[in-house]
Amino acid sequence: QVQLVESGGGLVQAGGSLRLSCAASGRTFGSYNMGWFRQAPGKEREFVAAINRSGASTYYADSVKGRFTISRVNAENTVYLQMNSLKPEDTAVYYCAATVSSFTTRGTMSSEYNYWGQGTRVTVSS
């Protein structure tokens, strides 16, 4: 079992940047594939980015490609989401997720993940 705790959310103006962190505890962090999802008010949870166990492979939603970067430091048990050029439509609660299984859809489906954090809120003002 792994526990996930997100941090780094907040209020930022459009065009600004934030870096989200997800700290993991429990089993060996390097055995998990990781993902970030988000849920805006009144909308379904959607995929943002994913990274494999070693960090060698990353995947992004089209809406964030070129603006967001997912990374991980296994020695620190942490996965990051660097968000640049933020837009008001990026406003959402951001969730970190983990799975011990291999990705079957490049980590884009929430059903692939076994463990979830509590979320951190990101608000982008126009």
Side-chain angles (χ1 to χ4, degrees):
Q1 184 131 356
V2 64
Q3 292 78 44
L4 304 173
V5 179
E6 302 96 334
S7 61
L11 174 64
V12 64
Q13 289 188 332
S17 298
L18 282 175
R19 188 176 80 156
L20 305 184
S21 300
C22 173
S25 61
R27 285 183 56 186
T28 304
F29 179 67
S31 65
Y32 290 91
N33 290 312
M34 303 294 296
W36 285 97
F37 287 74
R38 67 186 181 187
Q39 187 166 18
K43 295 188 177 182
E44 294 186 353
R45 190 171 297 188
E46 65 174 4
F47 168 74
V48 175
I51 189 167
N52 73 342
R53 297 178 183 89
S54 68
S57 297
T58 57
Y59 311 99
Y60 297 93
D62 288 342
S63 59
V64 307
K65 202 170 293 183
R67 299 188 299 122
F68 291 11
T69 302
I70 188 171
S71 62
R72 65 190 296 164
V73 180
N74 286 347
E76 297 177 359
N77 284 10
T78 304
V79 62
Y80 299 98
L81 185 68
Q82 177 67 44
M83 305 187 296
N84 299 329
S85 303
L86 282 161
K87 305 175 181 179
E89 51 264 43
D90 294 319
T91 294
V93 177
Y94 283 72
Y95 298 90
C96 174
T99 178
V100 294
S101 302
S102 298
F103 285 146
T104 56
T105 65
R106 297 189 171 189
T108 62
M109 299 290 289
S110 60
S111 57
E112 288 201 61
Y113 297 88
N114 311 107
Y115 305 101
W116 292 84
Q118 83 290 346
T120 185
R121 186 173 301 276
V122 172
T123 303
V124 184
S125 63
S126 57

